[in-house]
Amino acid sequence: MSPFVTGVRQAIAQHELLQRGQRLLVAVSGGLDSMALLHVLHGLAEEFCWRLVVVHFNHQLRGAESEADERFVRQAAGRLELKCIVGREDVRQMAAQSKLSIEMAARELRHRFFAKTARRLKVRTVALAHQADDQVELFFLRLLRGSGGGGLGGMNWASVSPEDTRVTLIRPLLNQRRESIEAFARAGGIQWREDSSNTSLEHQRNRVRHKLLPLLRRHFGEAVGNSVRRSMELIAAENEFVGEAARQWLRQQVCAFDRLHVAVQRRAVHDQLIERGIVATYEAIELLRAAANSPVVVEPGLAVVRSEEGLVRLERLAPAPVFETRDTLIKVAGGRGERVFGGVRFSWRLGPEGGAPRLTRKPANVEWFDAEAVGGHIRLRHWRGGDRFQPIGMKQPVKLQDLFTNLKIPREQRHKLIVAEAEGKGVFWVEGLRIGEPFKLTPQTRRRLVWQWWREAV
C-alpha cells in the first residue's frame, strides 16, 4: 500500500468519515484531485465493503470541453464497473436570473444536484476532492473578504450539505498536497482532464493560485502553505471554542450580555441572525452588539433589534411615507437664485474666482462647493433607495441607506431629507450630512458655489 493510500486510509479512520459497508456518492469532475479520490476510495472499497456511486455535474460553461469531461467521467466509472449519475444545468442562465457570480451559481446548482441524488438513492454521504492546497487558497480568498474565524478556519473533514442537513459532505484528501496527489496518479497510470478555466485570471481563486501564492513563496519561502495550514488549524479550534461558549450562553444566559467577551458577543448575535434567516454581516453584528434596543434595518420593511438581555428579535417596519413632491431642476449658471423645495428654502450664488474663501468660519446652514465640479444644473429631490454618496474624507461612494443606519437616523426621517444632485455627476449634498468628496474646494478651484438653506417653519 502506497504512502498516499495509507495516509487517506488513516485520515478516514481518524476523522470517522466512513463506516464499514457504507454507501456513498463520489463527486468526480474529471480533474486530477477527483480522479485520485475515486481511485483511492475504489481501491479501499473491497476492504471496507464500501459501495460507490460516481456523480458528475456538467456546468455547461465550456461548451465542447464540458461535454468531453462528462464522457470522460462516464468512461472512467464504467472501467471501474461503477454506476455513474450525471446532472446538468445552465449555470450562466441561473447566475443571471439570481444575480449571483458564476462561481456561486455553479456551487449552488452542484450541491443541489448532489443532495437531490443522495436523497433519491437514500445515501447519506458525498465524498468531495478538496485537498490541502485548496485550504490555503480558501484562506486567502476569505481573508480578502474580511471573514471571521468561521471562514478563516477553512473546510472541515466533514460538514453538512448546504442543501440538505441530512446529507454529509466528507473530504478524505484534506491533508494531501497537490504534489502527492499527482505522484499517486502518475504512479497508478490514472488519467485526468485539465480544466482550461483553471488558468484564467478572471476568477479570483485563480489569481490567488497563480499570482499571490507564487509571490509569497518566492519572497517568504516554500513553507508558506504549511504556516497557513497551521494557523487555520489554530483558528478553527479557537472558533469552535467561541462557538460553543456562545451556544452555551444562549441556552442558559448565566451572565449579562455586556459581561461576555466581545468574541462571544459577536458569535451569539451572529448565530441568532443566521437562525432567523438574516445575512450576518459584520456591520449588522457590530451595530446590534454595540447598542441594545436600537433597530438595524436588514432589508426593506424588516429590522432586527437586540434586547438588553442579548436576545435578537425581528421587527416589521411600517411602509415608509411616500412624498409626492416632484424633482426640481435648478439652473445655476445665472450666478445666483432661490428656490423652495420640500419645505426648505435654498439660496445659491457663484463666488469669485479663486479657491477657498477668506472666511475661516461659516454658518451651519452654508456649504461651499467647487462650481465647475457641480456643473450648471442641480436637481433637488428626496432620498431614494439605492442612492450612493461619497462624504468628504471617504475613498469611495457608499449607499446612503448604510450611512443613515450607521448614524442612527430614524427610518421615517430619512425620506424627509433632501438631496442635491449634480446632473450626471451624482449627489453632492445631503441635508444633515457632510459635503461630497468629489465636489469639495481644492487649490485648483476656479469658482465656488455658495450653497445655503433654511427649513421653513411648519
Side-chain angles (χ1 to χ4, degrees), residues 31-93:
L32 168 63
D33 299 338
S34 65
M35 290 300 295
L37 174 67
L38 174 61
H39 280 81
V40 73
L41 291 179
H42 182 264
L44 294 170
E46 183 176 356
E47 177 185 357
F48 294 99
C49 304
W50 295 330
R51 292 165 291 166
L52 312 183
V53 176
V54 174
V55 287
H56 172 81
F57 186 74
N58 186 338
H59 300 89
Q60 300 183 345
L61 290 171
R62 294 176 292 116
E65 279 190 58
S66 294
E67 300 304 314
D69 288 346
E70 180 181 324
R71 289 194 299 271
F72 176 79
V73 173
R74 286 185 185 275
Q75 292 166 1
R79 286 193 294 272
L80 298 175
E81 299 182 347
L82 297 176
K83 182 176 183 178
C84 181
I85 300 175
V86 173
R88 52 172 55 221
E89 293 280 354
D90 189 332
V91 173
R92 291 190 192 280
Q93 182 180 28

Side-chain angles (χ1 to χ4, degrees), residues 207-227:
R207 293 197 294 275
V208 169
R209 178 181 300 175
H210 299 301
K211 292 291 186 179
L212 177 59
L213 288 176
L215 178 69
L216 292 175
R217 293 189 184 106
R218 186 161 62 250
H219 290 283
F220 300 99
E222 289 295 325
V224 163
N226 294 333
S227 300

Side-chain angles (χ1 to χ4, degrees), residues 70-141:
E70 180 181 324
R71 289 194 299 271
F72 176 79
V73 173
R74 286 185 185 275
Q75 292 166 1
R79 286 193 294 272
L80 298 175
E81 299 182 347
L82 297 176
K83 182 176 183 178
C84 181
I85 300 175
V86 173
R88 52 172 55 221
E89 293 280 354
D90 189 332
V91 173
R92 291 190 192 280
Q93 182 180 28
M94 189 270 199
Q97 291 174 346
S98 305
K99 297 182 179 180
L100 295 172
S101 67
I102 293 292
E103 293 83 358
M104 289 301 297
R107 180 180 185 276
E108 185 173 321
L109 289 173
R110 185 168 62 247
H111 279 290
R112 191 179 299 171
F113 162 67
F114 293 158
K116 180 180 178 181
T117 305
R119 287 194 299 270
R120 181 165 62 84
L121 299 182
K122 298 181 180 179
V123 175
R124 297 169 56 185
T125 306
V126 181
L128 305 177
H130 296 121
Q131 36 90 338
D133 292 298
D134 293 331
Q135 285 279 60
V136 176
E137 293 165 8
L138 184 63
F139 174 84
F140 285 105
L141 284 170

Side-chain angles (χ1 to χ4, degrees), residues 351-357 368-373 438-449:
E353 293 188 2
W368 298 315
F369 298 96
D370 186 311
E372 291 187 357
F439 306 93
K440 67 183 181 182
L441 299 180
T442 69
Q444 290 73 43
T445 297
R446 297 178 58 190
R447 286 197 304 172
R448 68 179 182 274
L449 171 67

Side-chain angles (χ1 to χ4, degrees), residues 360-372:
T360 57
R361 299 184 63 182
K362 57 179 171 49
N365 66 330
V366 175
E367 292 291 1
W368 298 315
F369 298 96
D370 186 311
E372 291 187 357

Side-chain angles (χ1 to χ4, degrees), residues 131-140 152-155 157 173-179 213 217 222-237:
Q131 36 90 338
D133 292 298
D134 293 331
Q135 285 279 60
V136 176
E137 293 165 8
L138 184 63
F139 174 84
F140 285 105
L152 296 180
M155 295 175 282
W157 286 91
L173 305 185
L174 207 53
N175 63 347
Q176 299 292 334
R177 295 288 309 279
R178 188 169 284 119
E179 291 86 346
L213 288 176
R217 293 189 184 106
E222 289 295 325
V224 163
N226 294 333
S227 300
V228 169
R229 283 187 288 271
R230 283 197 299 270
S231 296
M232 294 177 78
E233 186 174 345
L234 294 172
I235 291 170

